Amino acid sequence: MEAPQNTKRTKASEPTLKRLPRYLHYLQKAQDKGILTISAPVIGKELQCDPTQVVKDLATTGVKGRPRIGYNIHELIQTIESFLGYNRANEAFLVGAGNLGMAMMSYPDFQRFGLKIVAAFDTNRDKIGRSRSGINILHMNKFQDLARRLQVRIAVLTVPHTVAQEVTDLLVASGIEAIWNLTPSQLQVPEHVIVQNTSMYANVTLLLKKLQEKDESESVQ
Amino acid sequence: MEAPQNTKRTKASEPTLKRLPRYLHYLQKAQDKGILTISAPVIGKELQCDPTQVVKDLATTGVKGRPRIGYNIHELIQTIESFLGYNRANEAFLVGAGNLGMAMMSYPDFQRFGLKIVAAFDTNRDKIGRSRSGINILHMNKFQDLARRLQVRIAVLTVPHTVAQEVTDLLVASGIEAIWNLTPSQLQVPEHVIVQNTSMYANVTLLLKKLQEKDESESVQ
DNA sequence: ATCTAATAAAGAAAAAAATCTTTATATATT
DNA sequence: AATATATAAAGATTTTTTTCTTTATTAGAT
């Protein structure tokens, strides 16, 4: 355990990390169909992206392919999953059992992607004691104690944005090291805490802007 | 209406488009506090991002600031909203009234960001006829007729990934031009159809990988 | 009125990412 | 066995995006 076999400390770029799960999803479907080997050009064609991009992305995981054959699909899946850390089950607490929180609880397969939501928290009395997809909803005042005792490092934040910052302060005080922020708020956190923002608004903006640009380019013609 | 006043056809970059809604959200909160003018360094400090980046992003919208003063916050908000097209109410149909679909229906303020979900569709009998946040849930077999009659161009896709492609084919056949894809599937669409992918899996992967890299860098020290 | 400091704006440089090109290799075909 | 071909892998180029630098402007202080 002293020397790492893989000296490939090739820190993958963010765009690459975002593409890898997509490849993985496609590869798993392909494997289910009984396919044994697959080439980068085929993946690129199917996922409508550049084949050399696929080769480059796969190369960062350290997997080796063979000319004229492609990659062994089983080995490829294993390597990507291991590279992304999907084998470890990272335990997480979800905070905010509203609509979005409930949706996240019943979102399928997070566990296959390395994330296991082990409990949910809210302050609404009507929700406490209930459960969703096997995840119990507890009162927020139990968060700090449980997070410390269970050594949970990750929180999924789905509270209303009006209370996002104050809840975040509690998470940080409870030892949370990584926050998946699904609120539109920009969270203030200490340097050692990781925040991953998933803004629905940014995405809807991008979509509408693309549509708008398409309209404009057509009207110009 | 013949010649456009703004010859600034500065097509904004994708990263810029994703940042603008964040600025907007912060600016609106600042405006509520009664602030009248604001400078890029202040925005940058508050949102912990580079001040020159903020200046560049704001410049693409065409807004003008004044040295030593900053930007008029009201004018700034107006300009960004107009640039992003938030004034127009783009009507959309939501397809798939499951957990995520319901969450999207009750997601606040989409309309402020230019998107108005006017109806939802599903095939589950238990859901049809009900409504959520004032949005009625209709049977999927009414989709094509309604989309055409109401000239709805945008669809929000929140169906299970197993049926994502076949539903997409129906959307396209119904004249839908833009799809906000919240399933993990890579959709096959004709060239003229715009797809915006929002993958929860890509985001969770990014978070876990960042945490993993942090752990590794600490253990190396 | 003049000077100073803060800041927008424009431009240059650097960094990052995507795309393109070349090379090498292994399989299938003749 | 020799050749052609598909493909991975490595490298080079181009493009995009971010960061840095410089310049110009303006409010406030002296």
Side-chain angles (χ1 to χ4, degrees):
Chain A
M1 268 295 253
E2 288 173 45
Q5 281 101 337
N6 254 4
T7 32
K8 294 256 172 80
R9 262 292 133 257
T10 342
K11 214 182 113 185
S13 73
E14 236 184 79
T16 296
L17 287 175
K18 281 189 178 175
R19 284 188 295 263
L20 284 173
R22 182 174 294 169
Y23 301 154
L24 197 55
H25 183 256
Y26 166 71
L27 291 170
Q28 283 161 342
K29 282 204 298 185
Q31 194 183 36
D32 289 347
K33 284 180 194 159
I35 295 168
L36 295 175
T37 60
I38 195 157
S39 74
V42 170
I43 298 173
K45 199 168 191 179
E46 203 67 30
L47 265 47
Q48 22 203 21
C49 57
D50 191 74
T52 59
Q53 182 76 79
V54 176
V55 173
K56 282 261 196 299
D57 288 339
L58 299 184
T60 59
T61 69
V63 74
K64 296 288 174 191
R66 293 201 298 169
R68 192 87 204 225
I69 293 289
Y71 304 87
N72 175 294
I73 205 165
H74 176 73
E75 183 191 344
L76 187 50
I77 289 172
Q78 289 296 315
T79 308
I80 296 176
E81 285 185 341
S82 154
F83 178 77
L84 295 176
Y86 287 176
N87 31 5
R88 357 183 165 182
N90 296 288
E91 297 193 330
F93 280 172
L94 183 139
V95 185
N99 295 300
L100 186 58
M102 288 291 196
M104 295 300 279
M105 283 187 239
S106 20
Y107 216 75
D109 291 333
F110 270 142
Q111 200 155 351
R112 275 179 71 183
F113 289 78
L115 189 81
K116 182 174 167 57
I117 299 176
V118 291
F121 297 85
D122 205 302
T123 51
N124 187 333
R125 296 216 156 273
D126 297 338
K127 284 170 185 158
I128 290 156
R130 302 183 63 182
S131 74
R132 179 64 154 278
S133 302
I135 301 163
N136 292 319
I137 303 171
L138 312 172
H139 194 281
M140 197 60 204
N141 60 21
K142 293 185 180 161
F143 185 91
Q144 189 152 29
D145 179 50
L146 277 173
R148 285 180 175 158
R149 276 168 46 202
L150 300 179
Q151 304 227 45
V152 171
R153 307 169 68 198
I154 303 166
V156 182
L157 191 66
T158 49
V159 299
H161 75 88
T162 45
V163 297
Q165 186 58 55
E166 63 177 283
V167 171
T168 298
D169 295 341
L170 174 63
L171 302 185
V172 171
S174 309
I176 290 293
E177 293 171 62
I179 300 172
W180 185 7
N181 176 29
L182 288 136
T183 80
S185 296
Q186 183 71 13
L187 306 177
Q188 307 293 322
V189 295
E191 212 174 325
H192 69 275
V193 176
I194 293 163
V195 176
Q196 173 66 33
N197 295 303
T198 300
S199 169
M200 293 295 167
Y201 300 135
N203 279 278
V204 75
T205 298
L206 218 46
L207 177 79
L208 297 179
K209 193 70 185 172
K210 280 180 195 165
L211 190 60
Q212 185 181 320
E213 276 169 2
K214 188 188 135 204
D215 288 348
E216 279 165 7
S217 74
E218 279 170 3
S219 71
V220 166
Q221 280 172 1
Chain B
M1 270 296 252
E2 288 174 44
Q5 281 101 336
N6 256 5
T7 31
K8 296 255 170 81
R9 264 291 132 258
T10 341
K11 214 181 114 186
S13 72
E14 237 184 78
T16 296
L17 287 174
K18 280 189 178 173
R19 283 188 297 263
L20 285 173
R22 182 175 294 170
Y23 301 154
L24 197 56
H25 184 255
Y26 166 71
L27 292 170
Q28 283 160 342
K29 281 204 298 186
Q31 193 183 37
D32 289 347
K33 285 180 193 159
I35 295 169
L36 294 175
T37 60
I38 195 158
S39 73
V42 170
I43 298 173
K45 200 167 190 179
E46 203 68 30
L47 265 48
Q48 21 202 24
C49 57
D50 191 73
T52 58
Q53 182 78 79
V54 177
V55 172
K56 282 261 195 297
D57 288 339
L58 299 184
T60 58
T61 69
V63 74
K64 295 288 173 190
R66 291 201 299 168
R68 192 88 205 226
I69 294 290
Y71 304 86
N72 176 293
I73 204 166
H74 175 73
E75 183 192 344
L76 186 50
I77 289 173
Q78 289 296 317
T79 308
I80 296 175
E81 285 186 340
S82 153
F83 179 78
L84 295 176
Y86 288 176
N87 33 6
R88 358 184 165 180
N90 295 287
E91 297 193 330
F93 279 170
L94 183 139
V95 185
N99 295 300
L100 186 58
M102 288 292 195
M104 296 299 280
M105 282 187 240
S106 19
Y107 216 77
D109 291 332
F110 270 143
Q111 199 155 352
R112 274 179 73 182
F113 289 78
L115 189 80
K116 182 173 168 60
I117 299 175
V118 292
F121 296 84
D122 206 301
T123 50
N124 186 332
R125 296 218 156 269
D126 297 338
K127 285 170 185 159
I128 290 155
R130 303 183 62 182
S131 74
R132 179 64 153 277
S133 303
I135 300 163
N136 292 319
I137 303 172
L138 313 172
H139 193 282
M140 196 59 203
N141 60 22
K142 293 186 179 160
F143 185 92
Q144 188 151 30
D145 179 50
L146 277 173
R148 285 179 175 160
R149 275 170 44 202
L150 299 179
Q151 304 227 46
V152 171
R153 307 169 66 198
I154 302 165
V156 182
L157 191 66
T158 49
V159 297
H161 75 88
T162 45
V163 297
Q165 186 58 55
E166 63 177 283
V167 171
T168 297
D169 295 341
L170 174 63
L171 302 185
V172 172
S174 309
I176 291 293
E177 294 170 62
I179 300 172
W180 186 6
N181 176 28
L182 288 136
T183 79
S185 295
Q186 183 71 13
L187 305 178
Q188 307 293 322
V189 295
E191 213 174 324
H192 70 275
V193 176
I194 293 162
V195 176
Q196 173 65 34
N197 295 302
T198 300
S199 168
M200 293 294 168
Y201 300 134
N203 278 280
V204 75
T205 297
L206 218 46
L207 177 80
L208 297 179
K209 193 70 186 173
K210 281 180 194 166
L211 190 61
Q212 185 181 321
E213 276 169 3
K214 188 188 136 203
D215 289 348
E216 279 166 7
S217 74
E218 278 169 4
S219 72
V220 166
Q221 281 174 1

